[in-house]
Amino acid sequence: MAKRQKTKSGFKSVVVPETELTEFEKQRLENIARNQELLKTLELLPLENSISSLRRQQPAKPKPKKKNEKIISRRRSSRISGEKLSMSDAVDLFLQKPTQETLNEGIVNSSVTVLTTKRGKIKAEIDGGQESEALSKKLFIILGKYNNMDKPINISEAEHKIERLSKIFNELSLNFSEKLLKQRITCASWHPEKSSRILAVGDKIGSLAFWQVPEDKNLKEIESSGNLGFKSDEDNVFTFSPHTGSISSLKFHSTDRSKLFTTSYDGSLRYLDINTHHFEEIYFTEQADNFLSSLDLHCSSPDILYFGKKLGQLFQLDTRETKNTTRFLKASTSKITNSMLNPDNQYQIITSGLERCFKIWDIRKLEWLSDVEQTTVATNFLFEFKHSKSCTSAYWNSTGQSIVSTSYDNTVKTFDSSNVEDKNLKIIASISRNNNTGRWVTPLRAVFSPPVASEQAVLIASMSRPIDVYNSKTGSKICSLFNEEHVTAIPSVICVRDDWLIAGANASGKCYIW
C-alpha cells in the first residue's frame, strides 16, 4: 500500500507493507473493492467520472465584453487623506458652479442646488387642473375689490371694548385650519385692507398661495372628519408658481393694493400685478450663491424697495426708474435675515443677520455703492446690538418706538428705540426660551401684536407647538394659543393683523387662524 510521507524536500509516496495495515483499514479496502465490482455489473461509472464527463460536454460560455464606461471620481474626504484646506478655499469649493463637463459626468457638489430660474414676465396662472383659468379670474375679482382703497386705520382701545391686553388673548380661539401648500411655508402677509381677509403665503419651492379666510359668521363646530371651522363648497385657496426657489419675503404695496412683491432664493424680485394678471420681474441677480433673503417698502414711499442678500448686501431699488437701477450697501459679512423700515421714520432701517447682531441705519447718511465686488463692510450705522449667536429677525412695532429681536442664543429681547437718533437703545425685557429649530422648521421670529393703550404683546412660536404670548415690557408670559387636537406641527411663521386676526403656518404647508 502506498502512503505519502513528509521529507526535507517535500512529500513523496512510499510503499507500506500489508502487515502494517490495521484491521479497520483492511475492512475498508475490501468494501471499496466490493462496491467497484457491483458498479461494473450494473454498468455504472463512478460518480466522479460521470461529473467530469458532464463538465466536458458543456460548451464554454463567451465572456461578456467590458463596456468602455467613464470612471466617475468619487468624493473623498480631505480630512482622511491628510489634506489641509483653508476656510476661504472651503467656501470657494462649496460655492463653485458645476461646469457642463461635470454635469454630464454626474460630478456635482451635492451641497449646491442648481435652479432653473424663470425669467421675464410670467402669466399668473393658478396651479391645478382645467378650472385653473376660472379660479384665476375669481381671485383677481376678489383682490380687485380692495384696489387703491384708503390706508388701514389702527384699531383703537375703544373699538376693542376690552381694557386689558391679556383679556383679548385669553378670549382668542382657533377658528380655522387649512392646507394651503405642499411644502414648508417660509413667509406670510395679510392683505392691508381689513375687509378683505386675504392671507398670502410662500413656501420653500417657490409656490405662492392666497387664502380667502371665511367670515366669523360662517363658523361651524369641529366636523367628525377632523377639519376645523368653516369648509366652503367653493374654492377659497388659490396657488401659483412664480419662483423656482424658496420665497423669502412677501409685501403688499401700501397704497396700490393690486401689487404683491416677492423675493426668492432663485435670485429674482417680482410683483404680482392684479390688473394685468402677470408676475412682473423687476430685478434678477446672476450670482447663484447670492440669493435674495429679505424685503421691505415704506408706506410713505412704496416705490422704493429695500432688499437684503445672502452675502450681506442691502440693496435700494426705485421702481419708477426705467432700468430699475440698484444701489447697495455692504451691511454685513454674511446673510441678512431680515430688513425693515421704521414705520414712523422712513429714513431708518434695521437689518439683522447671521453676523450675530442687528444694526440700525440712517438711509440719508449711507454711502451707496454700485460696484458689486465691494467687500468693505460699512460702519456708519446708528446703533448695533450684538447677540452671542445668529439673529434671525429684528422688527419695529407699529409706532416705531420699540424693537423685538430673536436669536439662536435662545433669547427674545425688546428695546426702547425712541432715542435711537442719540445712539441710545435700552433693553426693556429679555425672554429666555428655546429658539433652535433645526433645518426642517422655518426659523422662529417674534412679532408685535396691535397695541392696546400702553400695552403691547410679543408673539413667537414654541418648539412644543403653541404660540406663546409675552408682555413686551415685563417679559412675563400672558398665555399660549394652542389646540392640542388640531395644531400638530410648529406654527413657526406668524402674521398678525390690526383687527386681531392671527395666522400661524407650519412646515407641512398648513395654516391656522385665531
Side-chain angles (χ1 to χ4, degrees):
M1 180 179 177
K3 284 188 176 182
R4 291 176 61 82
Q5 289 185 354
K6 186 176 181 181
T7 63
K8 292 182 178 180
S9 59
F11 288 91
K12 66 178 182 178
S13 299
V14 295
V15 179
V16 182
E18 291 290 336
T19 55
E20 294 185 11
L21 296 176
T22 62
E23 291 296 330
F24 175 77
E25 292 175 340
K26 291 178 181 179
Q27 187 178 358
R28 175 176 171 274
L29 293 175
E30 292 176 359
N31 291 337
I32 292 174
R34 185 171 61 253
N35 292 336
Q36 289 178 349
E37 290 296 332
L38 179 60
L39 290 174
K40 288 179 180 179
T41 57
L42 296 175
E43 298 181 353
L44 294 176
L45 294 172
L47 182 61
E48 61 180 33
N49 294 338
S50 62
I51 292 176
S52 61
S53 62
L54 288 174
R55 287 176 179 172
R56 287 192 296 269
Q57 292 174 3
Q58 291 179 353
K61 293 182 180 180
K63 294 182 179 180
K65 295 181 179 180
K66 292 184 178 181
K67 296 180 180 180
N68 296 327
E69 297 179 349
K70 291 184 178 180
I71 300 175
I72 299 176
S73 61
R74 309 175 92 183
R75 292 182 58 191
R76 291 180 173 84
S77 172
S78 300
R79 177 183 60 82
I80 296 175
S81 60
E83 299 178 10
K84 292 185 178 180
L85 198 64
S86 64
M87 183 57 69
S88 59
D89 294 337
V91 173
D92 294 340
L93 181 63
F94 178 82
L95 296 177
Q96 67 180 357
K97 295 182 180 180
T99 62
Q100 189 61 40
E101 180 180 357
T102 56
L103 286 173
N104 294 337
E105 296 181 358
I107 311 172
V108 182
N109 188 343
S110 60
S111 302
V112 180
T113 304
V114 181
L115 299 175
T116 304
T117 307
K118 298 178 180 179
R119 296 301 314 275
K121 182 187 293 187
I122 301 175
K123 187 176 181 180
E125 294 180 337
I126 286 181
D127 300 336
Q130 300 177 353
E131 300 180 357
S132 60
E133 184 175 354
L135 290 174
S136 298
K137 291 180 179 179
K138 177 181 176 181
L139 173 64
F140 294 132
I141 291 173
I142 294 171
L143 292 175
K145 294 180 182 178
Y146 314 110
N147 185 16
N148 296 319
M149 298 184 71
D150 294 335
K151 295 181 182 180
I153 303 173
N154 292 339
I155 297 177
S156 65
E157 181 185 7
E159 291 178 58
H160 292 300
K161 299 180 181 180
I162 299 176
E163 295 180 358
R164 303 289 298 176
L165 188 66
S166 59
K167 291 183 179 180
I168 298 176
F169 282 104
N170 287 324
E171 291 186 0
L172 292 177
S173 61
L174 182 62
N175 291 336
F176 303 100
S177 68
E178 187 77 43
K179 178 79 170 181
L180 304 182
L181 294 169
K182 296 180 181 179
Q183 296 292 333
R184 172 168 59 90
I185 293 177
T186 55
C187 55
S189 179
W190 284 105
H191 192 280
E193 174 54 41
K194 290 184 294 184
S195 59
S196 68
R197 297 177 68 90
I198 292 177
L199 178 70
V201 297
D203 70 3
K204 63 175 291 186
I205 60 172
S207 298
L208 172 68
F210 291 91
W211 181 22
Q212 186 182 16
V213 180
E215 296 289 341
D216 292 345
K217 61 183 180 181
N218 292 323
L219 287 179
K220 291 184 178 180
E221 297 295 329
I222 297 175
E223 301 175 359
S224 58
S225 61
N227 293 323
L228 184 65
F230 176 77
K231 296 295 292 183
S232 174
D233 294 334
E234 300 181 359
D235 295 295
N236 58 350
V237 178
F238 312 88
T239 59
F240 301 86
S241 298
H243 296 281
T244 58
S246 176
I247 298 178
S248 54
S249 300
L250 296 171
K251 294 291 180 181
F252 280 97
H253 198 285
S254 57
T255 56
D256 186 357
R257 310 291 172 75
S258 65
K259 293 181 179 179
L260 171 67
F261 292 88
T262 61
T263 56
S264 171
Y265 280 19
D266 64 7
S268 64
L269 190 159
R270 298 181 177 276
Y271 70 88
L272 169 62
D273 192 331
I274 297 171
N275 298 322
T276 63
H277 299 190
H278 282 85
F279 286 95
E280 303 282 352
E281 180 185 293
I282 55 179
Y283 177 82
F284 178 76
T285 176
E286 298 289 346
Q287 295 177 291
D289 60 324
N290 197 14
F291 50 75
L292 280 62
S293 56
S294 66
L295 171 70
D296 199 18
L297 55 158
H298 203 276
C299 57
S300 62
S301 54
D303 294 316
I304 301 178
L305 308 179
Y306 295 89
F307 56 92
K309 285 190 173 184
K310 178 189 174 184
L311 297 184
Q313 298 105 334
L314 176 65
F315 278 74
Q316 182 191 70
L317 186 148
D318 193 339
T319 58
R320 296 169 296 187
E321 297 181 5
T322 54
K323 295 183 179 181
N324 288 336
T325 56
T326 59
R327 301 184 300 166
F328 86 97
L329 169 78
K330 184 68 174 177
S332 173
T333 57
S334 54
K335 175 185 172 182
I336 294 178
T337 56
N338 176 68
S339 56
M340 180 181 180
L341 290 154
N342 189 334
D344 191 51
N345 187 340
Q346 63 175 329
Y347 300 115
Q348 292 179 3
I349 187 169
I350 189 170
T351 60
S352 61
L354 303 185
E355 200 180 18
R356 303 183 178 185
C357 67
F358 70 82
K359 301 174 183 178
I360 301 175
W361 310 81
D362 189 334
I363 296 174
R364 298 167 297 183
K365 300 177 182 179
L366 296 181
E367 298 179 0
W368 297 99
L369 306 171
S370 58
D371 183 9
V372 182
E373 301 298 327
Q374 177 68 29
T375 58
T376 304
V377 179
T379 58
N380 56 337
F381 43 77
L382 288 176
F383 191 85
E384 177 187 30
F385 181 83
K386 293 185 178 181
H387 283 273
S388 60
K389 290 188 178 180
S390 299
C391 184
T392 56
S393 67
Y395 295 110
W396 261 294
N397 66 349
S398 57
T399 62
Q401 302 300 307
S402 299
I403 294 173
V404 59
S405 68
T406 311
S407 172
Y408 277 115
D409 62 7
N410 290 334
T411 62
V412 173
K413 298 182 185 295
T414 57
F415 303 84
D416 180 5
S417 60
S418 57
N419 296 323
V420 69
E421 290 282 358
D422 301 329
K423 298 187 177 182
N424 183 16
L425 203 66
K426 181 182 177 181
I427 298 178
I428 302 175
S430 180
I431 305 166
S432 297
R433 57 191 322 282
N434 181 15
N435 296 333
N436 291 277
T437 56
R439 64 178 299 185
W440 307 113
V441 178
T442 302
L444 305 182
R445 297 180 175 184
V447 297
F448 281 107
S449 72
V452 176
S454 60
E455 293 188 27
Q456 197 163 15
V458 169
L459 293 83
I460 185 170
S462 169
M463 293 301 292
S464 56
R465 290 180 294 154
I467 294 179
D468 293 333
V469 183
Y470 299 92
N471 189 306
S472 63
K473 292 184 177 180
T474 63
S476 59
K477 188 174 181 179
I478 297 174
C479 66
S480 292
L481 304 178
F482 188 49
N483 185 299
E484 187 175 0
E485 181 179 358
H486 295 280
V487 181
T488 57
I490 302 167
S492 56
V493 179
I494 301 175
C495 189
V496 186
R497 220 168 68 155
D498 287 340
D499 56 353
W500 295 93
L501 273 178
I502 300 174
N506 62 25
S508 65
K510 200 170 187 179
C511 190
Y512 307 94
I513 303 295
W514 280 269

